[in-house]
Amino acid sequence: METPVTLTHAEVSKLARLARIELTDEELTAMAGQLDVILDAVAVVSQVARADVPPTSHALDLANVFRADEVRPSLPPETVLAMAPASEDDRFRVPRILQEEQ
């Protein structure tokens, strides 16, 4: 069996920063333990995986389970946007989260 994965405080802090999550030192410590458990579980699954078994996304063999794309009546934009904090040109207006110029 492989050595369990252990994340450092700095690694968890970096992950939180990348996810844009602000965590206290206590939360970082707790999160490190939780992430270690998840990584250990992934390592166990990786050990079980065999080269002769192809990867699958579903337990059952499914093919094209999507419904037909049909135009149907919907709510008017005024109704949909009535409770929105902000709207513009019949769309939801949301704050920019990326620092990219347009």
Side-chain angles (χ1 to χ4, degrees), residues 62-67:
L62 301 175
N64 196 10
V65 294
F66 301 107
R67 65 172 170 77

Side-chain angles (χ1 to χ4, degrees), residues 8-19:
T8 66
H9 190 274
E11 290 170 326
V12 177
S13 178
K14 181 177 180 181
L15 288 171
R17 197 170 47 257
L18 290 171

Side-chain angles (χ1 to χ4, degrees), residues 1 24 47 55 70 98:
M1 183 165 221
T24 65
Q47 291 174 355
E70 299 171 0
L98 301 176

Side-chain angles (χ1 to χ4, degrees), residues 41-53:
V42 170
V44 169
V45 171
S46 296
Q47 291 174 355
V48 174
R50 297 176 38 144
D52 60 338
V53 178

Side-chain angles (χ1 to χ4, degrees), residues 23-40:
L23 299 174
T24 65
D25 284 339
E26 295 80 23
E27 290 170 326
L28 285 171
T29 301
M31 186 66 65
Q34 293 171 5
L35 289 172
D36 287 344
V37 171
I38 293 168
L39 290 174
D40 289 342

